[in-house]
C-alpha cells in the first residue's frame, strides 16, 4: 500500500513524464522544420521513451491498488534559437527529471517502502543514461557548429535511432 504522499508524488511524476514527451515532440518539430529529419527522429524516439516511463508509473500505481489521477500539463516551449539551444534545454530538462526521481527515491527511503525503492532504482539508473545521451549529443552539436556537412553526418546517425522498450 502506498501512503497518500507517495501516491500523490508518483501521480505527479506521470504528468512530468508525459510533459517530457510533448516537450521532445516540440523539439522534433523544430528540427524537422529545419530539414533535419534525423534530429527530428531522435526526439520522436525520445518522446516514445518518455511515454514508456509515464506508463511504468501508471502501471506501478495500479499494481499496488493505488488510484491513478491524470492531470493536465503545461504547454511546452515550441520556439528555439538553434540546435545547440535545443540540446541545452533537453539536458537541463533531464537534470530536472533526475532531481524529481531522487526526491521520489528519498521519500520512499524515508517511508521504508521497499517496493517503491526497488521500482525507482530502474529510473535512477535510467536518468544516468538520459543525461549522458543529451550531454553527448550537445557536445557533438557544439563541435560541428554551423558546419553543414558535419550536421548532416549527425543527422544521418540520428535517423537510425529506434525505440525498443527496455526490459524492466
Ligand atoms: Fe523520463 Fe527522459 O526521463
Amino acid at each position: 500500500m502506498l501512503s497518500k504522499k507517495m501516491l500523490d508524488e508518483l501521480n505527479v511524476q506521470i504528468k512530468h513524464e508525459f510533459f517530457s514527451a510533448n516537450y521532445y515532440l516540440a523539439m522534433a518539430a523544430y528540427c524537422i522544420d529545419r530539414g533535419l529529419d534525423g534530429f527530428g527522429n531522435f526526439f520522436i524516439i525520445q518522446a516514445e521513451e518518455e511515454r514508456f516511463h509515464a506508463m511504468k508509473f501508471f502501471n506501478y500505481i495500479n499494481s499496488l491498488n493505488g488510484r491513478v489521477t491524470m492531470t493536465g500539463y503545461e504547454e511546452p516551449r515550441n520556439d528555439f534559437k538553434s540546435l545547440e539551444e535545443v540540446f541545452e534545454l533537453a539536458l537541463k530538462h533531464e537534470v530536472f527529471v533526475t532531481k524529481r526521481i531522487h526526491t521520489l527515491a528519498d521519500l520512499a527511503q524515508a517511508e521504508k517502502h521497499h517496493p517503491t525503492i526497488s521500482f525507482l532504482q530502474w529510473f535512477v539508473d535510467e536518468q544516468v543514461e538520459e543525461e549522458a545521451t543529451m550531454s553527448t549529443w550537445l557536445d557533438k552539436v557544439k563541435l560541428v557548429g554551423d558546419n553543414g556537412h558535419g550536421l548532416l553526418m549527425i543527422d544521418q546517425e540520428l535517423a537510425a535511432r529506434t525505440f525498443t522498450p527496455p526490459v524492466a
Side-chain angles (χ1 to χ4, degrees):
M1 174 148 179
L2 295 162
S3 70
K4 174 161 183 347
K5 190 167 169 53
M6 193 79 249
L7 175 63
D8 288 348
E9 288 294 337
L10 291 169
N11 268 315
V12 167
Q13 194 60 27
I14 294 177
K15 178 180 79 167
H16 285 304
E17 299 293 346
F18 277 123
F19 170 82
S20 302
N22 274 10
Y23 198 17
Y24 290 135
L25 283 179
M27 293 178 184
Y30 168 82
C31 295
I32 292 166
D33 189 51
R34 287 192 53 183
L36 294 165
D37 291 8
F39 280 91
N41 177 62
F42 172 85
F43 282 110
I44 288 170
I45 299 298
Q46 191 63 35
E48 282 192 54
E49 284 200 4
E50 300 304 345
R51 286 190 291 267
F52 177 81
H53 294 170
M55 289 310 296
K56 269 182 87 80
F57 280 99
F58 182 97
N59 291 330
Y60 177 68
I61 292 171
N62 282 324
S63 74
L64 290 187
N65 291 322
R67 178 73 164 91
V68 168
T69 45
M70 297 301 295
T71 55
Y73 32 87
E74 66 189 273
E75 191 174 300
R77 181 169 162 177
N78 278 278
D79 287 322
F80 307 97
K81 286 194 296 237
S82 62
L83 267 185
E84 189 174 321
E85 187 187 35
V86 165
F87 279 95
E88 274 169 356
L89 290 171
L91 176 58
K92 189 172 165 199
H93 185 65
E94 288 302 336
V95 170
F96 163 76
V97 174
T98 299
K99 284 195 186 127
R100 275 285 315 162
I101 296 293
H102 290 182
T103 298
L104 289 172
D106 288 346
L107 179 60
Q109 293 276 4
E111 293 189 357
K112 296 186 170 52
H113 196 265
H114 293 281
T116 304
I117 293 168
S118 172
F119 168 73
L120 289 171
Q121 189 57 49
W122 185 90
F123 283 94
V124 171
D125 298 339
E126 174 74 358
Q127 281 310 121
V128 174
E129 268 188 48
E130 293 280 81
E131 286 190 30
T133 299
M134 293 307 175
S135 183
T136 296
W137 291 110
L138 172 60
D139 286 347
K140 290 192 186 195
V141 164
K142 277 184 179 168
L143 198 66
V144 299
D146 291 331
N147 180 310
H149 184 65
L151 275 179
L152 283 178
M153 280 181 63
I154 297 180
D155 194 61
Q156 274 178 0
E157 201 175 331
L158 292 181
R161 188 184 192 200
T162 56
F163 176 67
T164 310
V167 179

